[in-house]
Amino acid sequence: MCGIAGWADWSKDLTGEKDIIQSMTKAITHRGPDADGFWYSDHAVLGHQRLIVIDPEGGLQPMIYEDTNQKIALVYNGELYNYIELREELENKGHRFKTKSDTEVLIHAYIEWKEDCVQHFNGIFAFGIWDDHLKKLMLARDHLGVKPLYFAERGQSIIFGSELKVLLKHPLVEAEVTAEGLSEVFALGPMRTPGNGIFKDVKEIRAGHYSVFTAYGQKSVRYWNLKSESHRDDETATAEKIKGLLEDTVKHQLIADRPVVSMLSGGLDSSGLTAIAGQEYRSRNKVLHTYSIDFVNNDQDFKEDFLRRDKDEPWVKRVAEHVGTEHHSIVFDAQKLVDNLLVPMRARDLPGVGEIETSLYLLFEEMKKDATVALSGESADEVFSGYPWFHQEEYLNGGQFPWLVNLGYFTDILSDEARLKLQPEAYRQKRFKEAVNEVAFLEGESELEAKQRQMSYLFITRFLPFMLDRKDRASMMTGFEVRVPFCDYRLVEYLWNVPFELKSIDGIEKGILRRAFKDYLPDDVRNRKKSAYPSTKDDAYLKGISSWMTQILEDEDAPILPLINQDRVRAISRGEDQEIQGDKARAILDYLVQINEWLKEYKIKISL
């Protein structure tokens, strides 16, 4: 795992621009604290920050390949889980390797197949390749978009990098946000529109896409998509297929030259992956280390809600003992969460979901002390249709993104002027219709099946990117890599066509996954109802962010003030608003505090 940066320009000589590319690259030292590297040519300069996971000596970047016919330069962030098989295939085609790194496999794959190289990869990746003889730049991103990649076009310049802060270090890219960018922030929240970089004329390479830039223009290609067809396997074959795919995926994702551990919440997803990984470790006479998160006084503060049915820790202990892991429970108090609220915002260069992201960052910070890589159960709910929204008519027929159906109050706090200019409801509808128009419905499926397929598409392409962004930025801020086996594109392709009634067999969400884990988990763990990522219930947290918001409201220079209904937000901060209280108040205040500090710290110019 690493951070990448680059700049190509077909109209000027860049060999003297070392200070700029170095500044861009150093902005993401946290993504790769182990080493850095730079490459300079007349029309392209590249930078790389390295987090060593595979082949410490041989994986240095930028990596250059040169012979009499070509000169190729690569910067790459990610892991190719099938690099050993790919290397063998390429060797059979006559390629010769000097290292044991997946980076070298990637560059040879490009030499062999050019842009079609992405069709051969199974992994998580974002990379930039400069073909010096053809003066051509290729930017590509993995199937599900696990690894980030942003770019900006400025005249004849293409500026790109792993995070937005890379681009903002370039003098041609300003921290400017238009009405569209603010609509993303206020109308959609952290669940951005794919491809939208929030800042003016900044974009991201979409998941499953690559773009090629030359002096004559740009082309963007979607190399992977979800194809709808009838599912023909019965329930037994389906469960076995899922089990086999997950076993193969976990085995490949345990490959590393640095310690690999596992996140464990006691829920179905992380427990199943932990059990598979634990078995693989036992076969190597090793013990898997696992990690969970908890909060001070959670035993007395915990309250059951729509998403959190029970406490994680008893289940964590149950699974750790069953699998035989060495477990570590990381505990935080409310004040530490308040004190670190802005770290995830700085990690993603955008406001996020507050306390939930903060605790995730703090967890990774602790895990980094013992390891470099972790497995995570992220995305199982999206690809297995595990959320309650998949069977609730209110959400299936809601006519908007399901996670926003009950979040209208997020725009209720806008000022009249901001609401008029941003038109948040209309913006939501526009983006929702765009997403629905992309869905490949299956001829002959019922209206309910079509709605469930639509719901699945929305979660995979609109909600999951937020979850992956959150995990990538929170982990990489600490120089820590998180792998997500449920995002293996083979599994996602297969599950896309498994009917919801089969996914939820046995009358429980993700029933087919529970069957797939039958040989790995005890029945009580397999049948535990879904409980979302833990959140502190300590009243001290709400008091802390309420006080912070009150200070912002009293600062006449606070940049958020023209955008919000100050009287309404003040009432929320004081606990006097009749509609927005408790968890709703926490969510809105978390977000508004971040927006204000984002506008201030990044010195953002607003152009409405």
Side-chain angles (χ1 to χ4, degrees), residues 90-379:
L90 289 164
E91 285 176 331
N92 290 335
K93 292 179 177 290
H95 292 260
R96 295 295 174 259
F97 293 85
K98 299 177 182 178
T99 75
K100 297 179 180 179
S101 71
D102 59 336
T103 306
E104 191 179 13
V105 171
L106 195 158
I107 204 168
H108 279 267
Y110 174 80
I111 292 164
E112 180 65 31
W113 295 299
K114 297 303 186 238
E115 285 87 358
D116 285 341
C117 64
V118 291
Q119 301 286 358
H120 298 260
F121 298 155
N122 182 341
I124 52 179
F125 56 83
F127 64 81
I129 287 180
W130 175 255
D131 190 324
D132 202 47
H133 284 197
L134 298 178
K135 306 301 181 190
K136 179 177 70 174
L137 174 68
M138 176 184 180
L139 301 179
R141 197 168 175 212
D142 63 73
H143 302 73
L144 273 298
V146 178
K147 293 287 101 182
L149 185 55
Y150 297 91
F151 72 97
E153 298 178 74
R154 297 292 187 269
Q156 283 283 294
S157 282
I158 303 295
I159 301 141
F160 68 90
S162 294
E163 297 181 9
L164 288 165
K165 58 177 61 68
V166 175
L167 278 61
L168 295 174
K169 283 294 184 180
H170 195 287
L172 292 178
V173 182
E174 288 187 279
E176 182 177 359
V177 177
T178 65
E180 180 180 276
L182 278 185
S183 293
E184 288 279 322
V185 170
F186 280 104
L188 300 183
M191 294 72 170
R192 294 181 295 109
T193 302
N196 194 309
I198 306 299
F199 293 96
K200 183 179 180 181
D201 296 327
V202 172
K203 303 173 184 177
E204 67 172 353
I205 302 293
R206 285 191 64 172
H209 285 67
Y210 69 81
S211 290
V212 175
F213 304 85
T214 68
Y216 307 103
Q218 171 202 359
K219 71 171 182 177
S220 180
V221 176
R222 185 172 196 166
Y223 69 84
W224 182 77
N225 197 7
L226 294 166
K227 298 177 181 177
S228 298
E229 54 190 32
S230 296
H231 182 71
R232 306 198 181 278
D233 292 343
D234 64 17
E235 58 194 54
T236 300
T238 300
E240 283 299 313
K241 176 73 170 181
I242 292 167
K243 177 184 174 185
L245 282 170
L246 285 172
E247 288 172 337
D248 181 71
T249 299
V250 171
K251 184 175 182 179
H252 278 80
Q253 295 194 19
L254 288 175
I255 297 173
D257 292 326
R258 291 289 186 267
V260 181
V261 298
S262 184
M263 301 177 71
L264 177 61
S265 70
L268 177 69
D269 313 329
S270 64
S271 297
L273 296 182
T274 295
I276 296 174
Q279 180 171 290
E280 181 67 23
Y281 264 47
R282 285 195 299 275
S283 71
R284 307 177 192 177
N285 295 315
K286 297 170 65 178
V287 175
L288 179 68
H289 285 245
T290 50
Y291 294 77
S292 65
I293 190 168
D294 201 4
F295 304 100
V296 172
N297 298 325
N298 198 38
D299 282 344
Q300 63 195 52
D301 293 334
F302 179 83
K303 302 180 185 70
E304 181 180 347
D305 60 28
F306 176 66
L307 292 176
R308 297 170 185 87
R309 307 297 183 89
D310 53 14
K311 290 177 285 190
D312 284 344
E313 282 303 298
W315 294 99
V316 168
K317 183 179 179 182
R318 172 86 167 103
V319 176
E321 290 176 350
H322 173 77
V323 177
T325 73
E326 185 168 332
H327 187 72
H328 311 261
S329 181
I330 311 301
V331 182
F332 303 116
D333 62 22
Q335 189 58 50
K336 189 158 189 176
L337 294 171
V338 174
D339 291 344
N340 287 274
L341 174 62
L342 298 183
V343 179
M345 181 275 288
R346 294 165 185 146
R348 67 159 70 221
D349 306 305
L350 293 169
V353 291
E355 170 253 324
I356 293 176
E357 269 182 298
T358 308
S359 63
L360 195 61
Y361 157 74
L362 292 170
L363 174 62
F364 291 138
E365 188 177 49
E366 290 299 313
M367 294 172 74
K368 173 67 175 178
K369 296 175 181 178
D370 304 323
T372 304
V373 182
L375 298 183
S376 167
E378 204 76 81
S379 86

Side-chain angles (χ1 to χ4, degrees), residues 515-527:
R515 288 196 180 188
F517 284 147
K518 185 173 184 5
D519 295 337
Y520 284 101
L521 295 172
D523 288 346
D524 59 338
V525 175
R526 287 195 307 117
N527 294 320

Side-chain angles (χ1 to χ4, degrees), residues 453-478:
R453 186 180 293 277
Q454 175 179 302
M455 181 79 81
S456 182
Y457 189 84
L458 295 178
F459 271 97
I460 291 171
T461 65
R462 298 309 193 271
F463 190 81
L464 180 56
F466 150 69
M467 301 290 280
L468 296 175
D469 275 356
R470 181 182 77 171
K471 190 142 283 183
D472 173 83
R473 303 309 190 281
S475 60
M476 295 303 287
M477 193 67 171
T478 67

